[in-house]
Amino acid sequence: MALKVGNKVFVYWDDISILVEELCNTIAMSGIRIKSITGIERGGLIPAVMISHKLNIPYVTKINKDTLVVDDICDSGETLKNIVAGYTATLHYKKTAAFTPDFYSKEVGDEWIVYPWERNDSATIQDYLKK
């Protein structure tokens, strides 16, 4: 179960499994035919591979119109709004983002999510905002 410490929420592997399961169910029930999956480097790679295995859809590196592009979170929305083809999916989505993914597992508030594949001392700032 996720642990909240201050403004950080530490998400564990069991939480990830549940979020991936929920996301896969939503995708499967959507009726959208996804032919391939890819992940945004770094945060989206692990959930993308997990979704690829669960849905039995090939993982690819090239995005096309039938590709599901996965990231861990849609925080500001800056990363995903630049995707020019395909569908988008995230484990977490912040309603304040400038972009809404096609699929997401859970809406979250302003807290900083720390995933199990990240460092526990990760800074509460987007990489692209660091100077």
Side-chain angles (χ1 to χ4, degrees):
M1 193 72 175
L3 173 67
K4 184 168 184 174
V5 178
N7 197 34
K8 288 185 178 181
V9 175
F10 294 86
V11 180
Y12 298 100
W13 286 110
D14 289 343
D15 303 310
I16 299 300
S17 293
I18 292 166
L19 292 167
V20 166
E21 180 76 25
E22 291 171 354
L23 193 54
C24 288
N25 289 339
T26 302
I27 292 165
M29 292 174 52
S30 74
I32 294 175
R33 186 152 152 68
I34 294 169
K35 294 183 181 176
S36 59
I37 296 175
T38 195
I40 300 290
E41 295 177 3
R42 298 175 300 191
L45 292 175
I46 292 171
V49 169
M50 292 173 75
I51 293 166
S52 171
H53 286 299
K54 182 98 178 130
L55 295 177
N56 199 27
I57 298 173
Y59 183 90
V60 298
T61 55
K62 184 179 178 191
I63 300 170
N64 64 50
K65 65 182 176 121
D66 299 320
T67 301
L68 179 66
V69 180
V70 179
D71 206 355
D72 51 5
I73 188 168
C74 182
D75 189 335
S76 67
E78 292 300 316
T79 301
L80 291 173
K81 78 176 188 179
N82 294 317
I83 302 299
V84 295
Y87 301 96
T88 55
T90 61
L91 300 177
H92 292 103
Y93 161 68
K94 291 188 178 181
K95 196 173 188 175
T96 56
F99 178 87
T100 303
D102 298 300
F103 306 100
Y104 60 91
S105 294
K106 184 175 182 182
E107 189 175 310
V108 292
D110 291 336
E111 59 267 10
W112 186 259
I113 309 294
V114 181
Y115 294 95
W117 49 85
E118 295 178 312
R119 294 172 43 155
N120 286 340
D121 64 348
S122 65
T124 56
I125 186 169
Q126 297 290 336
D127 285 347
Y128 64 87
L129 296 175
K130 293 179 183 177
K131 292 184 179 190

